[in-house]
Amino acid sequence: MKKVCFIVAMQGEAKPLIRHFGLHHIEGCFGSLPPQAYRASYAGKEIFLVTNGIEQETGLDYIGCEAAVLSAHLAVSSFSPDLIINAGTAGGFVSKGAEIGDVYLSNKYVVFHDRRVPIPGWDKMGQGYLPCVDPLNIISEINAKSGVCTSGSSLDITGDDLEQMKQTGGEVKDMEAGAVAWVASLYNIPLLCVKAITDLVDAGHSTPEQFNDNFLLATQRLDDVCFRLIDEKLVDKL
Ligand code: SAH
């Protein structure tokens, strides 16, 4: 695992990683496209980080699958990493034992929960079932849980989404992992998702409020795990 590339949706999630690894911005790396790239040599590795970038009009981070596909594709075609780490925040479920600030490593496969295509073949393609590395070798050494990551295009959740999550076993809900996993699978590059829980979807509280209240705590935990993956060379055991 000589070259490791973090794909991170939001600048707020990426900032502590940029600082810790001493990453420097590669000015104009992707021309006028929104994703931004950073790099450094660190602890015997080449570390890259690509963020989704910011929408000019609103000044907000691009989130969601379209932006994540673009970031992941540009990252892979520019840097050919040996491992992709999709780091970010996510919603968890009390019913699955999640607590605010928990960090999950992706396990088994990565799926989507808001694609409804009830035609044999396309139903499975819609849900994804995309590969990710087995985290079980390192999970006991790191303060994290493991679970099936599932992605969709909305922050909220509907009954139909829940129904699909029941079918796929999805446990950790975000808006990018599936997209990054799809690109990683096309290039056959190992993928690990690291997701910190900002909100509990089934706790009866507003998701946007929980997201804003817990964003700092969750990103601190997320970054701690990401630092350890590199500093303690845990990625080499994947
Ligand atoms: N209000 C936020 C918007 C963040 S949207 C802002 O300040 O800009 C949610 C982002 O966090 C996405 O990148 C998504 O991957 C992740 N996320 C956190 N909780 C989520 C949840 N419950 N469902 C889906 N995505 C979630």
Side-chain angles (χ1 to χ4, degrees):
M1 297 295 179
K2 185 95 187 69
K3 289 198 264 180
V4 178
C5 183
F6 289 89
I7 309 278
V8 183
M10 298 174 66
Q11 199 63 27
E13 294 163 338
K15 255 191 198 141
L17 297 171
I18 293 170
R19 213 176 306 126
H20 182 89
F21 298 123
L23 300 169
H24 56 263
H25 187 212
I26 312 173
E27 211 64 53
C29 187
F30 306 130
S32 59
L33 294 173
Q36 299 297 313
Y38 301 79
R39 84 186 309 161
S41 296
Y42 180 93
K45 297 194 191 301
E46 280 286 285
I47 309 286
F48 299 92
L49 184 148
V50 175
T51 57
N52 286 351
I54 285 173
E55 188 188 49
Q56 289 294 326
E57 206 181 316
T58 56
L60 294 173
D61 298 291
Y62 277 111
I63 53 170
C65 289
E66 296 82 355
V69 164
L70 188 58
S71 294
H73 175 65
L74 289 168
V76 171
S77 52
S78 304
F79 308 130
S80 310
D82 303 313
L83 174 72
I84 294 176
I85 299 179
N86 174 222
T89 55
F93 292 81
V94 177
S95 57
K96 307 220 182 241
E99 292 176 30
I100 299 291
D102 277 352
V103 178
Y104 279 80
L105 304 186
S106 50
N107 196 16
K108 289 189 195 161
Y109 45 71
V110 183
V111 285
F112 295 97
H113 55 257
D114 64 355
R115 298 176 170 189
R116 289 175 288 281
V117 190
I119 302 174
W122 278 312
D123 51 358
K124 184 171 173 290
M125 190 201 294
Q127 287 182 327
Y129 295 98
L130 298 156
C132 57
V133 295
D134 185 339
L136 299 180
N137 259 348
I138 60 169
I139 203 91
S140 61
E141 294 185 47
I142 209 160
N143 192 13
K145 297 181 172 176
S146 66
V148 172
C149 292
T150 179
S151 301
S153 294
S154 300
L155 186 63
D156 71 358
I157 191 156
T158 68
D160 288 334
D161 296 345
L162 272 172
E163 188 48 45
Q164 289 213 43
M165 289 176 66
K166 230 185 261 171
Q167 287 171 24
T168 59
E171 298 176 273
V172 183
K173 173 183 178 292
D174 84 335
M175 297 174 67
E176 292 89 12
V180 176
W182 183 60
V183 176
S185 76
L186 295 178
Y187 284 101
N188 209 14
I189 296 177
L191 165 83
L192 175 71
C193 303
V194 186
K195 299 284 161 175
I197 304 301
T198 43
D199 51 270
L200 295 167
V201 177
D202 56 350
H205 305 301
S206 138
T207 297
E209 265 174 40
Q210 292 185 76
F211 180 87
N212 290 326
D213 290 350
N214 300 319
F215 185 75
L216 271 183
L217 168 80
T219 47
Q220 271 165 16
R221 300 264 178 90
L222 171 73
D223 293 321
D224 279 349
V225 169
C226 290
F227 300 160
R228 291 191 57 201
L229 285 171
I230 304 295
D231 293 1
E232 297 173 24
K233 302 200 185 306
L234 296 173
V235 289
D236 295 325
K237 297 186 183 174
L238 287 169

